[in-house]
Amino acid sequence: MFFHIVLERNMQLHPRHFGPRLREKLVSKLMKDVEGTCSGRHGFVVAITGVDNIGKGLIRDGTGFVTFPVKYQCVVFRPFKGEILEAVVTMVNKMGFFAEAGPVQIFVSNHLIPDDMEFHSGDTPSYTTADGAVRIQKDSEVRLKIIGTRVDATEIFCIGTIKDDFLGVIDDPGAAA
Amino acid sequence: MLTRAVRTSQPVRFGFPRRRVAQRSQSLLGIRVGIELRFLSGILRYKTTSHPEDKRGNRLSRKSKSPEFSMPRRRDDDDEEEYADDDRGGKRGRFIDDAAEEDDEEEEDEDDDEDEDAYNPRKRKQRKGASMFIDQEAIVDSDGDEEEEEGEDDFIEPGTDLVEEEERHVHRRPFAAEEEEQEDVDALERQIQQRYSMRSMHGDFDEEATDVEQQALLPSVKDPKLWMVKCAIGREREVAVCLMQKYIDKGSELQIRSAIALDHLKNYIYVEAEKEAHVKEACRGLRNIFSSAKITIVPIKEMTEVLSVESKSIDLSKDAWVRMKIGTYKGDLAKVVDVDNVRQKVTVQLVPRLDLQAIVNKLDGKEVGKKKTILPPPRLFNADEAKEMNIRVERKRILHEDYEMVGTMMFRDGFLHKTVSTKSISTQNVQPTFDELEKFQKAGDEMDGGANALRNFSTLLANRKKGHFLKGDAVVVVRGDLKNLKGWVEKVDEENVHIRPKLAGLPTTLAVNERDLCKHFEPGDHVKVVSGAHEGATGLVLKVEDHVLIILSDATREDIRVFADDVVESSETTSGITKIGDYELHDLVLLNDMSFGVIVHVESEAFQVLKAVPERPESARVRLREIKAKLEKKANAQDRYRNTVSPKDVVKILEGHAKGKQGPVEHIYRGMLFIYDRLYNQNSGYICAKAQACVAIGGARRGSDRNHGVAPLTSRFGNLRTSPGFAQPPLSSKPPRDSRGRQRGGRFDSLVGTTVKIRSGSFKGYRGRVLEVKGQDVRIELESQMKHVTVNRNLITDTVSVPSFHRDSSRYSMGSETPMHPSRTPLHPYMPRDPGATPIHDGMRTPMRDRAWNPYAPMSPARENWEDGNPASWGTSPHYQPGTPPARPYEAPTPGSGWANTPGGNYSDAGTPRENSYASAPSPYLPSTPGVQPMTPSSASYLPGTPGGQPMTPGNVGLDVMSPIIGSDGEGNMLLPDILVNVCRSGEDSLIGVVKEVFSDGSCKVALGSSGNGDTVTVLPSEVEMVVPKKSDKIKIMSGAQRGATGKLIGIDGTDGIVKVDDTLDVKILDMDILAKLAP
């Protein structure tokens, strides 16, 4: 789920940037530092939409670096248990398939793939129903439900299921071709 | 009558034997018995107070029907006590009075009594009257009891005492018992009352018992001894009973005091007696005691232990899981199907380990060889299979169960049913692993369709450890009325678990028996495995199948199956055990066989190591002891376009099984990169690839640059590189192979590292290696002496240097590919001789950029050139980085391991600069090159194994003239027509093609397509690379004496190819690098 929230961060800035463009520097550094990071509480920081407030800088003894408290608005993406997501399959193997929904990687184990879909190895490994009507392979788009998440320092890893009503392939590149 | 007496006495007396007090029936005197009782109760008291745990043991043994059999004692004695105490008292008094005259034993007893009296002075006074005496005994005894007996109200201690006394009484007057018997019940009642009143009277006496008093109660030298008598196994109880019977029959003739059989002690009984002879006498004629049996005394100190051993009650029940302790099935899991407590036998169900062939042999009466050391794998028995092998399988019906019999072995449903002694199985801490259970279950499923699963489940619950529920655990009730009720653990009592049910409308907490509960998890929970094979692993629950969870491990991204009971919910993320000894998950390790790899998975006792095999993902299970060292140094390597790749750089793999994958480099070693691709789900995401087969993301693509000389490199490596470049032209303009020529001009550097001979002076005739050139002087490390000498350069001759130069450059240029050579040639000038700083070491310590200055590396113009142009050296240069175990690469007997990694790949790149060099070479040379000896003047000294080194020399001659800078690559793997090449021009995908024509400048005409029927293009040598042949491909030898010859690659051994040469039909072992695939 996406949220637009206000976060705060202490930014350290090198003295060389002190000058008329200090604020600009600070914001660009903020973007560089923060966008794409991930925290267990807020999820992925997708984009910074604005800087609300930059506090007074405090010069660090010894280094000359200045610490600014910065309040900024950002869009975060945090997957939740039970959330339904649409994701693109990135890899299929016998254990299941990996899909990505933006920055989040979701693994759908073969235990959580409907039983009528079987794994077919080959050039493009896929999960296919017996009649071949439904096929999950790389680049397929699937709708899945997240059943568990694990948050690391740098990524959120989810496991999902498509073994439920209205879940599964929503767009099949193979079929379209 | 006696028997009857025994019987009637039993209800009252039952407490006695349970106290593990041996009977002391037969003293002649009442006092004696009383005293002995005191002694014994003293043991008890001692035990109970000083070893609290003993109390439990005590109780246990009580429950488990202690095996002791007391000598006949009769309840009725008590009455007699009551009624006939006048009489007895009189007697006693008499005895006591003249006790001294009686015999030794009596004296002892007397002493004992004195002891008693010492702490209970009252006794003395009471002593004379018989009734008082009795009371007193009762008191003493109850003292003993009270502590140990707690709550067992029917435990009639004083009674026993009295009985004892009475017994003795009886023995003296065997027929006196008759009359006493009738009053039995009444007397008993009274006795009890008396006892309790006594107890309350002396209630606090007990508590005053101190250690000293306890000590006083211990057996001393004066007490009867305990003898250990060997008897038939399993007959211990019987023997004790026999002795009892014997005693009943023979009475006082039998001079033993008691006989004890202990459940936990097989093959022996204890007999209490004064003398060994008495024991022998008592045991004589007993069927189950062998006449030859040895009788050993139990040391006084150990006497108390004998009677206080806590018997481990083996709680064997049907369906329990046990493990076999001995025999073929040692360690195997077994399931109890039947328990015979009496015979101490257990029938267990096992997955048979049958060697049918052996059975056949046996049945045929054939010689059965020595005991096989190979254990047949466990497999279910199949009657049809057995029949096929002509083994007779009988069907038998035993107790409504059908069995298949092979000889004496019984099979049911494929399982072996085996009756074993309880001793040969272990019941403690049996934790069946999942696999083992599955094996049992699989078979079960076939038979009864999954019902087994449940059974397994329930038996597992019985096996689990105590107290594994913790507050907050999610649980589900699996049995009883509340089945399927989910809740959370609130509190754990001993057996009961208080749970807070999930459903509303139920009491806030419910107490449920631990055994009815099972942990409960939902898919998506993050859990940690706390016991079992996967202990320590964490992961997300994928699926819950009853009692079994399927977990996606965080570390390996693989499914693991565990029991719900072994798992706790946890937010912790670990990869299971991540460390054994010094080695941790994802470490780069060097194995004993000199290969290396990355630990991708840690098991409980071993690692999975992804080996450095770029061709395929090869991982091996490696035990701790097979790991030699951890490789921690940081190294760099060069990618295909000679960008430096350092750890953590992101690279993309351009070829091989993992083509297209990309990720950060985690480890670099010997030109091999270990790349972590988080999308890759094998080997924990690790991929091994050659540096040459990768490209750094964001790095410049330098393919075309190489054509234009060293410019990029010079810029890259700064002045280090430029200076040798400048140094080159003058010298390369001279014919370098001229033996004299080398002395002039630019020999300064090139001389360094060569082996020379000193022509005159005090070191005339010595050979050595040039370490340094200083003006007119050269410093030489002598081969024959560990010594450096400085000699005028005019006094040296470098004839010797030619071979070494070749070899040297070949070594360096071939880089790691020919590691064997030095080890094959112990006398090789390159063998490090200086312990301190051997040339090779120098080379290795020198960071690669300094190579230009490395005294051993840049010894010739060719060398320089090669330096610039041959990325192979860069790819492999990490070997020479500081920190490499010195000299190891050269000493390694198995170069294949690490060195093997740089085959064709290197070469393909490595080849290009050579072409450069040849590019300027006069074309006439080309045809003549094929492996003709004359070109390699010093071929005599060539090692047969270094063909790679040969071709370079002649080429150089010509080239150097024309292309001073790039020209003289040492090895010059000139292209030859008809070979298959990959054409990879910058910005295009590589195309396969066939070389049609090679021009003098090294460029060549290539017909695209694998059979050469496509467009013909002219490409620069840097844009083509030879196709590395596979086994049984037709090949062309690109360099060496056989250059130009065609053949067939019949095998590949590491970096060597086994080639059958077409012309001569010789089989040669040649370096893979000089083999090129021939167009079909």
Side-chain angles (χ1 to χ4, degrees):
Chain A
M1 212 174 286
F2 289 94
F3 298 91
H4 193 204
I5 55 169
V6 176
L7 292 176
E8 202 174 331
R9 185 182 170 88
N10 284 331
M11 301 286 304
Q12 292 217 354
L13 204 62
H14 193 275
R16 70 163 170 258
H17 301 305
F18 303 164
R21 294 174 54 150
L22 190 146
R23 188 188 160 90
E24 243 169 79
K25 267 285 165 200
L26 208 55
V27 172
S28 67
K29 187 173 186 320
L30 178 73
M31 286 185 167
K32 205 177 135 209
D33 285 2
V34 171
E35 282 182 5
T37 61
C38 156
S39 78
R41 190 174 149 77
H42 299 110
F44 288 95
V45 178
V46 178
I48 291 171
T49 53
V51 175
D52 286 355
N53 177 33
I54 296 177
K56 284 184 176 164
L58 194 73
I59 300 179
R60 298 261 141 214
D61 288 345
T63 61
F65 276 86
V66 172
T67 309
F68 293 95
V70 182
K71 263 191 184 164
Y72 58 96
Q73 299 168 1
C74 59
V75 175
V76 293
F77 176 63
R78 163 112 161 68
F80 289 94
K81 228 182 198 186
E83 188 177 344
I84 310 271
L85 279 179
E86 283 163 17
V88 179
V89 176
T90 53
M91 184 171 58
V92 179
N93 62 37
K94 67 176 193 310
M95 275 152 38
F97 65 83
F98 286 87
E100 276 179 4
V104 180
Q105 198 186 18
I106 303 148
F107 175 66
V108 179
S109 161
N110 57 8
H111 299 289
L112 301 169
I113 294 172
D115 294 329
D116 61 341
M117 298 192 85
E118 268 188 21
F119 178 67
H120 295 275
S121 54
D123 274 356
T124 49
S126 65
Y127 281 89
T128 316
T129 51
D131 56 1
V134 184
R135 188 177 165 88
I136 296 174
Q137 61 188 43
K138 192 170 187 285
D139 297 330
S140 296
E141 284 172 30
V142 291
R143 182 174 295 140
L144 47 82
K145 186 167 93 179
I146 291 172
I147 60 165
T149 59
R150 189 188 77 222
V151 181
D152 290 345
T154 53
E155 64 163 0
I156 295 181
F157 179 72
C158 301
I159 57 169
T161 177
I162 55 167
K163 213 177 182 176
D164 218 334
D165 291 345
F166 308 110
L167 300 182
V169 180
I170 48 178
D171 172 54
D172 185 3
Chain B
M1 188 227 83
L2 272 176
T3 40
R4 200 183 139 214
V6 171
R7 204 184 52 231
T8 47
S9 74
Q10 264 167 357
V12 188
R13 296 221 59 263
F14 89 98
F16 185 67
R18 284 156 215 200
R19 288 169 58 215
R20 290 173 287 133
V21 177
Q23 67 258 63
R24 18 219 78 230
S25 39
Q26 40 195 65
S27 346
L28 293 170
L29 297 175
I31 302 164
R32 252 209 81 67
V33 174
I35 289 163
E36 282 184 23
L37 269 178
R38 233 177 290 145
F39 146 63
L40 276 168
S41 58
I43 296 183
L44 287 175
R45 182 145 33 129
Y46 181 77
K47 281 287 155 194
T48 47
T49 49
S50 54
H51 306 292
E53 76 280 1
D54 184 43
K55 209 175 268 180
R56 218 175 349 133
N58 208 359
R59 210 173 277 149
L60 264 180
S61 65
R62 228 177 262 155
K63 271 183 206 152
S64 63
K65 285 184 216 144
S66 158
E68 286 168 43
F69 287 88
S70 307
M71 291 302 173
R73 286 157 209 171
R74 278 167 288 157
R75 197 54 255 159
D76 37 5
D77 288 1
D78 294 358
D79 318 284
E80 197 208 27
E81 204 78 58
E82 294 301 307
Y83 293 97
D85 49 8
D86 280 302
D87 168 39
R88 283 182 71 195
K91 271 175 212 152
R92 265 180 205 167
R94 196 190 62 214
F95 277 127
I96 291 161
D97 289 345
D98 42 36
E101 287 103 57
E102 283 295 322
D103 64 359
D104 291 350
E105 290 181 18
E106 299 233 8
E107 216 158 43
E108 280 170 32
D109 298 344
E110 204 54 46
D111 285 350
D112 270 5
D113 244 6
E114 295 294 330
D115 288 350
E116 287 265 23
D117 293 348
Y119 71 83
N120 192 2
R122 263 184 312 149
K123 274 183 190 167
R124 188 150 283 181
K125 288 178 210 146
Q126 294 166 345
R127 208 166 175 174
K128 291 286 160 164
S131 62
M132 284 318 277
F133 177 74
I134 292 159
D135 289 350
Q136 193 182 338
E137 288 299 298
I139 292 162
V140 173
D141 239 357
S142 62
D143 294 347
D145 299 341
E146 214 155 292
E147 284 152 302
E148 79 169 305
E149 154 194 283
E150 283 172 356
E152 269 200 50
D153 290 343
D154 50 351
F155 200 99
I156 300 164
E157 217 43 57
T160 56
D161 278 359
L162 298 172
V163 171
E164 289 287 343
E165 284 164 39
E166 229 17 77
E167 254 169 60
R168 172 198 24 86
H169 209 61
V170 171
H171 297 314
R172 274 192 290 123
R173 304 165 291 146
F175 302 104
E178 257 172 287
E179 59 215 65
E180 293 157 7
E181 200 182 340
Q182 290 123 11
E183 283 120 346
D184 193 12
V185 181
D186 288 344
L188 171 61
E189 196 184 333
R190 226 167 304 148
Q191 189 58 46
I192 292 168
Q193 275 168 4
Q194 193 181 2
R195 176 185 166 203
Y196 281 97
S197 59
M198 283 299 177
R199 198 181 262 193
S200 56
M201 257 168 65
H202 301 285
D204 39 7
F205 174 73
D206 305 320
E207 271 132 42
E208 285 161 21
T210 62
D211 272 357
V212 179
E213 287 163 13
Q214 296 288 318
Q215 292 292 333
L217 296 169
L218 286 173
S220 70
V221 274
K222 293 167 190 164
D223 295 308
K225 281 104 193 146
L226 210 50
W227 306 87
M228 206 157 78
V229 182
K230 202 167 184 174
C231 66
I233 294 182
R235 307 287 181 177
E236 300 84 8
R237 284 170 182 234
E238 197 181 322
V239 170
V241 174
C242 284
L243 280 171
M244 177 173 79
Q245 186 60 45
K246 199 167 181 181
Y247 179 82
I248 292 164
D249 295 341
K250 292 220 175 174
S252 52
E253 280 172 46
L254 224 53
Q255 307 231 21
I256 59 169
R257 304 296 170 91
S258 64
I260 311 152
L262 297 173
D263 261 346
H264 59 85
L265 184 79
K266 300 270 176 271
N267 216 353
Y268 288 99
I269 62 163
Y270 289 104
V271 176
E272 193 186 4
E274 296 290 341
K275 294 182 174 132
E276 192 181 342
H278 298 165
V279 182
K280 277 203 171 140
E281 182 62 32
C283 297
R284 184 186 300 150
L286 285 185
R287 192 158 52 120
N288 292 317
I289 297 180
F290 314 113
S291 52
S292 59
K294 215 179 150 192
I295 296 171
T296 44
I297 192 165
V298 178
I300 290 177
K301 276 183 191 167
E302 292 167 23
M303 280 170 77
T304 47
E305 261 98 89
V306 168
L307 291 174
S308 61
V309 172
E310 193 175 328
S311 72
K312 277 178 206 149
S313 69
I314 297 173
D315 193 17
L316 268 180
S317 55
K318 223 185 138 184
D319 281 353
W321 293 108
V322 295
R323 274 189 201 285
M324 306 300 289
K325 277 202 266 187
I326 45 172
T328 323
Y329 295 94
K330 186 174 176 180
D332 279 14
L333 187 72
K335 191 170 169 184
V336 177
V337 284
D338 192 25
V339 186
D340 183 349
N341 275 323
V342 182
R343 285 169 59 219
Q344 304 279 312
K345 295 275 186 189
V346 180
T347 307
V348 291
Q349 187 185 44
L350 286 159
V351 183
R353 289 175 182 273
L354 288 184
D355 188 348
L356 289 177
Q357 194 55 47
I359 295 173
V360 172
N361 288 347
K362 210 171 168 187
L363 289 179
D364 293 354
K366 273 186 211 158
E367 180 76 17
V368 182
K370 275 182 220 157
K371 220 176 181 183
K372 272 194 188 153
T373 45
I374 309 153
L375 218 59
R379 211 160 57 93
L380 288 183
F381 174 74
N382 186 334
D384 298 333
E385 215 174 277
K387 277 174 193 156
E388 262 173 41
M389 300 192 66
N390 291 325
I391 298 172
R392 237 183 75 170
V393 181
E394 288 173 68
R395 289 196 159 271
K396 258 194 190 169
R397 204 173 166 79
I398 305 168
L399 294 171
H400 312 291
E401 307 269 23
D402 285 320
Y403 288 97
E404 283 154 343
M405 307 282 293
V406 174
T408 54
M409 289 183 286
M410 288 161 63
F411 296 95
R412 184 158 176 266
D413 300 342
F415 289 104
L416 173 68
H417 282 237
K418 196 173 167 154
T419 303
V420 294
S421 154
T422 43
K423 271 168 135 187
S424 63
I425 55 172
S426 76
T427 53
Q428 304 291 314
N429 291 326
V430 178
Q431 287 202 317
T433 66
F434 199 84
D435 292 345
E436 286 174 317
L437 285 181
E438 224 167 26
K439 227 173 267 167
F440 270 87
Q441 192 170 334
K442 228 179 260 166
D445 280 347
E446 284 160 25
M447 307 301 168
D448 51 34
N452 224 349
L454 259 184
R455 219 187 305 153
N456 272 342
F457 170 59
S458 57
T459 52
L460 271 177
L461 292 187
N463 270 354
R464 68 185 172 196
K465 276 186 269 174
K466 272 215 160 165
H468 74 289
F469 286 113
L470 294 173
K471 192 183 168 186
D473 282 355
V475 290
V476 60
V477 182
V478 291
R479 263 187 291 203
D481 296 341
L482 295 172
K483 193 170 171 181
N484 289 336
L485 177 74
K486 285 166 193 161
W488 295 271
V489 175
E490 279 287 300
K491 202 171 88 177
V492 184
D493 279 348
E494 193 106 310
E495 288 253 296
N496 289 325
V497 179
H498 296 261
I499 63 165
R500 179 162 45 91
K502 201 177 182 182
L503 281 176
L506 283 167
T508 41
T509 55
L510 291 168
V512 186
N513 191 298
E514 192 186 50
R515 302 210 158 188
D516 297 341
L517 283 179
C518 178
K519 284 190 187 171
H520 175 70
F521 296 93
E522 296 277 353
D525 288 348
H526 195 258
V527 295
K528 182 176 180 182
V529 184
V530 290
S531 60
H534 296 284
E535 186 172 338
T538 61
L540 290 159
V541 177
L542 286 176
K543 200 177 181 189
V544 182
E545 287 175 347
D546 290 334
H547 191 48
V548 176
L549 304 182
I550 298 171
I551 292 175
L552 179 75
S553 163
D554 289 338
T556 56
R557 298 250 163 118
E558 273 160 28
D559 295 358
I560 49 178
R561 289 154 76 91
V562 290
F563 296 115
D565 269 337
D566 294 341
V567 163
V568 291
E569 206 164 343
S570 152
S571 59
E572 184 188 350
T573 305
T574 61
S575 37
I577 346 165
T578 56
K579 202 169 182 178
I580 307 180
D582 292 336
Y583 310 110
E584 225 173 324
L585 193 67
H586 306 330
D587 274 352
L588 182 66
V589 292
L590 185 69
L591 307 183
N592 281 351
D593 58 356
M594 300 311 289
S595 61
F596 57 94
V598 168
I599 297 177
V600 289
H601 186 220
V602 185
E603 291 164 28
S604 47
E605 282 172 338
F607 305 95
Q608 284 288 341
V609 172
L610 172 70
K611 296 252 203 140
V613 181
E615 291 83 26
R616 60 189 176 277
E618 186 182 305
S619 69
R621 210 177 112 95
V622 169
R623 289 181 176 277
L624 183 61
R625 59 166 187 273
E626 291 165 41
I627 297 179
K628 195 163 184 165
K630 184 155 128 182
L631 301 166
E632 284 184 294
K633 60 156 186 153
K634 295 270 175 267
N636 292 322
Q638 277 206 323
D639 72 356
R640 167 164 296 190
Y641 304 110
R642 281 181 287 136
N643 296 304
T644 305
V645 177
S646 311
K648 299 294 171 196
D649 287 355
V650 177
V651 299
K652 185 166 188 171
I653 301 168
L654 296 176
E655 58 187 43
H657 69 279
K659 185 174 175 180
K661 299 250 188 297
Q662 70 175 59
V665 175
E666 295 292 322
H667 298 285
I668 302 178
Y669 190 64
R670 293 187 190 164
M672 300 302 274
L673 307 181
F674 288 95
I675 298 151
Y676 177 71
D677 180 358
R678 71 184 181 113
L679 293 177
Y680 188 62
N681 65 331
Q682 281 173 26
N683 297 322
S684 299
Y686 274 81
I687 301 163
C688 173
K690 279 177 298 187
Q692 298 292 308
C694 299
V695 59
I697 302 281
R701 194 166 170 176
R702 294 186 187 277
S704 50
D705 287 343
R706 282 180 288 177
N707 253 346
H708 312 301
V710 278
L713 281 175
T714 28
S715 62
R716 174 172 282 252
F717 299 119
N719 43 8
L720 289 179
R721 186 116 317 251
T722 47
S723 55
F726 283 120
Q728 270 166 269
L731 44 114
S732 46
S733 60
K734 319 255 184 274
R737 261 328 118 212
D738 177 348
S739 65
R740 286 279 116 205
R742 290 180 55 87
Q743 295 214 358
R744 276 162 287 157
R747 284 195 61 226
F748 297 93
D749 287 337
S750 62
L751 197 60
V752 173
T754 54
T755 302
V756 296
K757 194 170 184 177
I758 301 170
R759 285 190 298 150
S760 66
S762 50
F763 291 103
K764 182 179 176 184
Y766 280 84
R767 293 202 309 175
R769 243 136 98 59
V770 179
L771 293 175
E772 208 180 346
V773 180
K774 280 182 190 163
Q776 283 299 300
D777 292 334
V778 288
R779 216 150 68 82
I780 296 170
E781 179 194 54
L782 299 183
E783 273 184 359
S784 52
Q785 289 177 17
M786 297 292 225
K787 204 166 173 183
H788 297 174
V789 295
T790 307
V791 184
N792 189 298
R793 60 142 41 133
N794 293 321
L795 300 180
I796 57 169
T797 171
D798 58 351
T799 42
V800 204
S801 75
V802 178
S804 72
F805 165 74
H806 283 295
R807 208 166 300 129
D808 191 326
S809 57
S810 79
R811 169 129 4 89
Y812 276 96
S813 55
M814 303 287 297
S816 46
E817 292 125 11
T818 56
M820 288 170 106
H821 304 158
S823 57
R824 278 191 205 144
T825 58
L827 288 173
H828 190 282
Y830 269 86
M831 285 310 280
R833 293 177 304 106
D834 185 325
T838 59
I840 288 164
H841 292 188
D842 278 351
M844 291 193 311
R845 288 196 200 115
T846 320
M848 58 171 170
R849 291 176 193 190
D850 296 337
R851 185 72 64 73
W853 295 114
N854 182 337
Y856 301 105
M859 54 201 101
S860 72
R863 178 75 208 141
E864 301 302 338
N865 224 347
W866 163 77
E867 276 281 329
D868 295 345
N870 184 0
S873 67
W874 299 100
T876 54
S877 55
H879 307 275
Y880 302 97
Q881 290 287 311
T884 316
R888 199 210 293 130
Y890 288 101
E891 294 162 357
T894 56
S897 54
W899 298 85
N901 314 320
T902 48
N906 275 350
Y907 227 78
S908 53
D909 272 319
T912 45
R914 287 169 216 140
E915 280 117 40
N916 276 352
S917 61
Y918 277 96
S920 49
S923 50
Y925 263 93
L926 292 175
S928 63
T929 28
V932 198
Q933 292 289 32
M935 306 178 127
T936 57
S938 50
S939 55
S941 55
Y942 278 163
L943 288 169
T946 54
Q950 298 189 3
M952 56 197 189
T953 44
N956 289 344
V957 182
L959 319 165
D960 284 343
V961 183
M962 303 176 109
S963 60
I965 295 177
I966 348 167
S968 49
D969 178 29
E971 323 173 359
N973 255 6
M974 266 305 271
L975 290 178
L976 291 170
D978 293 338
I979 63 164
L980 269 180
V981 290
N982 273 319
V983 181
C984 40
R985 292 175 167 180
S986 54
E988 289 170 34
D989 282 345
S990 73
L991 295 165
I992 204 155
V994 180
V995 176
K996 289 290 177 200
E997 203 181 337
V998 181
F999 300 117
S1000 56
D1001 62 349
S1003 60
C1004 48
K1005 220 179 222 174
V1006 173
L1008 296 179
S1010 57
S1011 50
N1013 44 16
D1015 297 341
T1016 305
V1017 291
T1018 306
V1019 292
L1020 294 165
S1022 60
E1023 291 167 343
V1024 291
E1025 52 190 43
M1026 293 187 299
V1027 173
V1028 178
K1030 295 191 189 69
K1031 194 178 161 183
S1032 67
D1033 279 348
K1034 295 283 283 178
I1035 53 99
K1036 193 161 213 175
I1037 300 169
M1038 296 304 291
S1039 61
Q1042 304 263 348
R1043 178 170 157 100
T1046 58
K1048 193 180 175 188
L1049 186 63
I1050 55 177
I1052 299 172
D1053 178 17
T1055 55
D1056 291 335
I1058 302 157
V1059 175
K1060 193 173 188 184
V1061 182
D1062 284 344
D1063 291 348
T1064 56
L1065 293 178
D1066 282 350
V1067 175
K1068 300 228 167 199
I1069 296 176
L1070 296 170
D1071 229 80
M1072 281 299 285
D1073 294 323
I1074 62 157
L1075 304 179
K1077 190 174 176 179
L1078 205 60

